[in-house]
Amino acid sequence: MRWLHDRSIGQKFFISFGVILSLLALSLTALLVYLSRINSYVDRHKRITVPAIVTAATMQRSAYEMNLTLHLFLEQITKADAADTLARLSRHAEQIRSSLDLYRSTHAARTHPILLGMLTQHQRMDLADQEDRAIARIDLILQELSALWQTALTGPQRAGVAPSPVAKTDGLIVELMNNLDQLVAAHRDIDVEMKVEGDLLLQQARLIALSLVAVLGLVITVIYVSVNRQIAKPLQRLSVTADRVAHHDLTAQFESWPGRDEVGTLAASLSSMVTSLREQTAATARKTKELEAFTYSVAHDLKGPLREIEGFSSLLEKQFADGGDAQTRHQIDVIRRSALRLTHMIDALLKYSRLEQQDLPRQRFNVLEMITTLLTDRFNGLQGPKPKIQVALPFADLYGEPVSIRQAIANLLDNAAKFSRHASPPTITIGGTRMEHERILWVQDNGIGFDPSHYDKIFGLFERLHSPQEYEGTGVGLAIVKLVMDKHDGRVWVESAPGAGSKFYLAFPERAESVVDRPSSSPHPASA
């Protein structure tokens, strides 16, 4: 097992499959050997036993016809003369002799070493001896009959009294038939032994097959247990620990593996990776805290002087409101507006920084209610002409973090209101689409739009397509929208053309483990 521990996974599988294939090859070889032996048995049965019994039966029929011919002549039932009867008897004797020679050379047990070996193994050599004695006696009787027929058929005959040669001939024929019966009986017993041999071969083949199947099953079980213990279970433990690490649990420990295979190498690499990850995470956390402290410090240090600049410029603006030249008043106004714009940029940057560092816990919430509240807060107190707003969502709920999503939708509404204020009339439409794996919310306006070639810049931080004098803003709003969607594993894109307005899409993925929510019965239209 120690030797197996040090093998690679590929070598382990190669050894395992090699053992299984070797056992399969051994099983196939053993089965083929026994099939060949069974086939040999069937062949012997077809070539020896059955033809032997047929040949012996043929000799019995010839002997019966011989006996019938002799008795018909002696009892004067037939009109055949002695010469014709002698010829017929000789022909029957020749047929028996010919069949006997065929039997002796082809079907006798001692002619076939395999058959003789089978009888020796079964301790039934008496059947071979019985067969030999019957063959020898039949041959001798045929010789004696040939010598007696001439005397029996041509000698003096008296009615009702059989001469001595005729009686002896009749007795020899009866003995011939008895020996033929013994020959048939012997070979039938040999056939029984062959059937026993066939049953034994079949039983051995079954036993060998079952034994090899049992050994193969045992080997497969041992290999399965070994692979499960040395590969599957360690990989399962590694995957559980890796899953904990993937969910930011850096306290997880990868257990060391004693083997030097790929699993051991993977465990060592993952352990080293987690150690490095802990160190980098700790360093990142320290730098993040330092950066947060620096950001807030800089922001507050900058906002203090900016408030003073804005305050004093406001006082100067009031002081020179009724007097002073126009250029001075313009310069003071520029100073005050620049201070306010820089303050807004700092606030937006702080908001972006906080959002980037936050984890967004998600939940299912009523987005339609959120949009309705947002429209009320955003546009009820708006001075000047209000845009016409239409809301037609095919769903009422959404899965995500409500506060950040509200900020993203608010930024899109502010952009839509800002860039469509010169339209007649300004119109904003909020709609959506429910897909199988995500829900898409879109905000469309009929404003100035933009060139699609600027698409790559539109979601960048501090990226602006217009000067602050044309349209106010910090250049952070759409960057926040992009960041919110990234943190939700969602998508954001826009369709626009100069003078044709813009349509911003937010695609939120559905929660994988959640039950599919029932769609709302109506699109919930609303207007403001």
Side-chain angles (χ1 to χ4, degrees), residues 43-52 106-107 112 115 187:
D43 184 63
R44 290 198 308 272
H45 191 267
K46 289 170 61 178
R47 288 189 300 104
I48 302 172
T49 308
V50 175
T106 308
H107 308 314
H112 301 277
L115 195 62
H187 217 92

Side-chain angles (χ1 to χ4, degrees), residues 17 19 120 159 162 166 178 190 194 221 264 283 345 355 426 452 460 489 502 520:
F17 283 114
V19 171
T120 304
V166 173
N178 290 335
I190 291 174
M194 288 191 67
T221 302
M345 289 181 66
L355 182 61
D489 301 319
S502 301
S520 52

Side-chain angles (χ1 to χ4, degrees), residues 302-303 305-314 332-347:
L302 286 177
K303 289 176 71 175
L306 284 174
R307 281 193 296 268
E308 294 177 0
I309 293 173
E310 194 275 329
F312 284 117
S313 61
S314 297
I332 292 173
D333 182 61
V334 170
I335 292 172
R336 187 180 65 82
R337 284 190 286 105
S338 297
L340 287 173
R341 186 159 59 85
L342 186 55
T343 301
H344 293 328
M345 289 181 66
I346 292 173
D347 289 339

